[in-house]
Amino acid sequence: MSFDLVLRGANLPDGRTGVDIGVKDGLIAAVAPALTGDAGREIDVSGRLVSPPFVDPHFHMDATLSLGLPRLNRSGTLLEGIALWGELKPQLTHEAVIARALAYCDMAVAQGIGAIRSHVDVCDDRLLAVEALLEVKRKVAPYLDLQLVAFPQDGFYRYPNAEANLLRALDMGVDVVGGIPHFERTMADGARSVTRLCEIAAERGLLVDMHCDETDDPLSRHVETLTAETRRLGLAGRVTGSHLTSMHSMDNYYVSKLLPLMAEAGVAAIANPLINIVIQGRHDTYPKRRGMTRVPEMMAAGITVAFGHDCVMDPWYPLGSGDMLDVAHMAVHVGLMTSLDGMRQCFDAVTVNAARILHLDGYGIEPRCKADLVVLQAADPMEAIRLKATRLLVLRRGQVIAETAPRITRLDLPGRPAQVDLNFVPGSIR
Ligand code: FE2
């Protein structure tokens, strides 16, 4: 068999080591030890983790890189962030939204992200951000899969034209139905919005991804309605609850009933660890709640859980760099997931689980999958998270689209080696 490219000696996220990956016509053609046959190009990746690309299943590309415009978020709360975004919205220009989004996509690709699901605010009667991000989606398509969610930021019922705008955005080509039930005026309005939005998705054959219960209120239970509507409308596997932070504060008995219902209905969940840990608990004194949803418990219940970046340098979060290992690293800490299995699950949450939620085709390292790969300066998922490891190579359809030099620091210390080894092998010194 002949290949365009062979990566030699890869470690895979599932624990296989010393594997060759053969690429032909942009697809993975073979995955096996010691592949034979002609190769147009060979790359030695011995001992390096080779992963399918990171997938960010929850982002806001219309707001990204706008930090400081028109001012900073002083309280750090979700509500001030929404108010601040409301001040910025009328000042947005088509060109600036596109330029910021493209700059962010460059960052994301450089750090091995191959797909992003971005919410786009439809509570702007111009639908300026929708038009801009649809253009960005077309522009980045050769190197990044961008999926857009019609997101009624100011409330599906609370904002007068939200329904009309949302439907218009879907007509224009936005892929997924969004929502924000906890921001409606009443719990009842929130529940009604979930029902209506799920019906819109069912009528149009679309996926659903709602900001749901992004509060510290233990009685914010829109996920219950989302679960019931998913079952009623036969939307299993097509609905996601994003954030679900109220679950952190819910009564334990109630959650013991809720999680099996979510699993049965086929509702997935997305936590946003970097954002949840800084937005939630803002109204607490001490102890301050962590606010991230119940990740390990949901995974144990059989629910697909992924992690999103949510925000980078915007009205809600001043930090971030498009690094899904930064996201996974925070999840390990906030979710107390430091066991080996826990860390592997956190790696899955920014790769395969997120890909499943986005319904990505041909994702993975198996024959006939797309040859979209990331080579990391790490031996395994745990080391990748620990070091937020350098993404040495990023490949799209078998072509290298980003390359970063290995991280090497020269040392000048008496009696010590000339170079520090961050890739320390546990147990190597006894
Ligand atoms: Fe969000």
Side-chain angles (χ1 to χ4, degrees):
M1 193 166 184
S2 72
F3 303 102
D4 302 327
L5 168 72
V6 176
L7 302 184
R8 296 275 182 206
N11 293 351
L12 301 185
D14 64 11
R16 280 179 285 171
T17 58
V19 174
D20 291 353
I21 302 170
V23 173
K24 175 90 179 161
D25 298 329
L27 299 176
I28 294 175
V31 181
L35 281 180
T36 53
D38 296 339
R41 183 184 176 192
E42 297 205 9
I43 303 176
D44 179 12
V45 296
S46 327
R48 304 288 199 201
L49 176 64
V50 179
S51 171
F54 296 106
V55 176
D56 181 358
H58 187 114
F59 195 65
H60 294 264
M61 207 173 278
D62 47 1
T64 195
L65 305 187
S66 68
L67 183 68
L69 301 176
R71 62 180 177 82
L72 293 168
N73 183 336
R74 285 181 291 266
S75 67
T77 59
L78 173 70
L79 296 180
E80 186 176 345
I82 293 175
L84 212 167
W85 172 240
E87 291 169 33
L88 176 58
K89 244 192 283 189
Q91 301 174 25
L92 293 175
T93 67
H94 185 78
E95 293 70 27
V97 172
I98 290 176
R100 286 193 290 260
L102 289 174
Y104 179 75
C105 290
D106 294 347
M107 247 184 239
V109 166
Q111 308 219 63
I113 292 180
I116 299 176
R117 173 182 281 181
S118 174
H119 296 255
V120 52
D121 189 356
V122 298
C123 292
D124 170 355
D125 297 343
R126 302 169 298 168
L127 291 184
L128 179 142
V130 171
E131 274 181 2
L133 290 194
L134 283 167
E135 192 171 330
V136 170
K137 178 178 168 158
R138 284 189 291 274
K139 280 187 152 71
V140 302
Y143 53 89
L144 181 73
D145 298 313
L146 178 57
Q147 197 176 80
L148 297 176
V149 186
F151 175 47
Q153 169 78 74
D154 298 331
F156 185 66
Y157 287 124
R158 194 165 159 182
Y159 182 81
N161 296 331
E163 178 162 3
N165 290 355
L166 181 133
L167 293 172
R168 202 147 54 92
L170 296 175
D171 289 342
M172 288 162 68
V174 170
D175 311 273
V176 180
V177 178
I180 185 164
H182 55 275
F183 196 69
E184 303 295 346
R185 288 194 171 86
T186 63
M187 277 295 176
D189 279 357
R192 278 199 307 129
S193 78
V194 171
T195 296
R196 178 69 190 123
L197 289 160
C198 286
E199 287 173 352
I200 290 170
E203 285 159 15
R204 293 177 173 239
L206 299 176
L207 305 181
V208 175
D209 187 342
M210 256 177 234
H211 286 65
C212 192
D213 300 324
E214 190 186 0
T215 80
D216 293 319
D217 175 1
L219 299 177
S220 182
R221 293 173 172 185
H222 295 300
V223 63
E224 179 184 277
T225 308
L226 186 65
T227 300
E229 291 301 321
T230 300
R231 189 170 167 79
R232 180 176 73 86
L233 296 163
L235 296 174
R238 291 164 51 189
V239 174
T240 302
S242 273
H243 289 294
L244 306 181
T245 51
S246 72
M247 195 191 291
H248 187 91
S249 301
M250 281 173 183
D251 173 72
N252 289 328
Y253 170 76
Y254 175 73
V255 175
S256 78
K257 178 190 169 199
L258 173 65
L259 297 191
L261 289 172
M262 288 176 67
E264 175 196 55
V267 171
I270 295 173
N272 296 292
L274 294 167
I275 306 312
N276 301 149
I277 197 65
V278 294
I279 295 277
Q280 304 314 131
R282 284 277 176 174
H283 299 267
D284 294 351
T285 55
Y286 284 95
K288 286 184 193 290
R289 284 167 289 180
R290 296 171 183 221
M292 189 171 80
T293 193
R294 303 191 189 198
V295 170
E297 291 79 6
M298 280 197 281
M299 287 176 166
I303 296 163
T304 300
V305 183
F307 302 146
H309 206 317
D310 200 3
C311 301
V312 170
M313 300 178 75
D314 70 8
W316 296 274
Y317 188 59
L319 306 174
S321 65
D323 181 357
M324 296 309 292
L325 288 172
D326 194 14
V327 173
H329 190 270
M330 181 59 77
V332 165
H333 290 77
V334 179
L336 305 176
M337 296 176 77
T338 45
S339 71
L340 197 52
D341 280 349
M343 287 188 278
R344 288 207 180 111
Q345 287 174 320
C346 287
F347 192 85
D348 287 348
V350 293
T351 52
V352 284
N353 296 2
R356 190 176 311 137
I357 287 175
L358 266 63
H359 287 206
L360 293 184
D361 290 330
Y363 179 91
I365 303 187
E366 297 297 336
R368 289 180 296 283
C369 287
K370 291 171 182 162
D372 299 347
L373 300 163
V374 181
V375 181
L376 292 124
Q377 192 183 354
D380 55 42
M382 175 178 152
E383 191 176 51
I385 293 175
R386 181 175 71 81
L387 297 175
K388 297 172 197 164
T390 301
R391 275 123 272 202
L392 300 169
L393 295 173
V394 180
L395 288 90
R396 174 91 167 177
R397 311 290 189 265
Q399 302 291 322
V400 174
I401 58 168
E403 187 165 1
T404 306
R407 180 175 169 187
I408 295 170
T409 304
R410 307 278 168 214
L411 284 180
D412 188 4
L413 302 174
R416 298 302 303 152
Q419 192 174 306
V420 68
D421 189 6
L422 294 174
N423 297 85
F424 182 82
V425 179
S428 60
I429 301 177
R430 290 184 187 270

